[in-house]
Amino acid sequence: MVNVLLKGIAKGVFRPEVAAYAESIAVNLHAFLDGIGLHSIVAGKPFDLERQIDFYMDGLIRSIAKEKK
């Protein structure tokens, strides 16, 4: 994940300052996926797992994406 973020920075997709936080972003993304996956298994009430992951990823990408000119 860190390499994906760094490649995205190199290609101008992500903001350069993301490099300083790439490892933390990767750890948090993995933790979210682990947690939401486990929650989907043990939750007493079913929920739309795909929708929740899309919601999180959309917010993450918006927060690290380089602004388009």
Side-chain angles (χ1 to χ4, degrees), residues 39-53:
H39 182 74
S40 73
I41 294 168
V42 299
K45 179 180 172 186
F47 65 96
D48 187 343
L49 179 62
E50 184 176 351
R51 189 175 127 227
Q52 296 303 318
I53 292 172

Side-chain angles (χ1 to χ4, degrees):
M1 180 51 66
V2 172
N3 287 336
V4 170
L5 292 168
L6 296 177
K7 286 179 184 179
I9 294 165
K11 291 182 178 185
V13 175
F14 301 135
R15 295 181 286 127
E17 58 268 24
V18 169
Y21 304 101
E23 190 170 324
S24 292
I25 293 169
V27 166
N28 279 275
L29 175 58
H30 287 171
F32 166 77
L33 293 172
D34 284 347
I36 197 82
L38 180 60
H39 182 74
S40 73
I41 294 168
V42 299
K45 179 180 172 186
F47 65 96
D48 187 343
L49 179 62
E50 184 176 351
R51 189 175 127 227
Q52 296 303 318
I53 292 172
D54 286 347
F55 175 79
Y56 179 83
M57 293 303 296
D58 184 56
L60 175 62
I61 297 299
R62 285 180 195 230
S63 73
I64 65 174
K66 194 171 183 180
E67 290 186 26
K68 295 180 182 179
K69 294 183 180 183

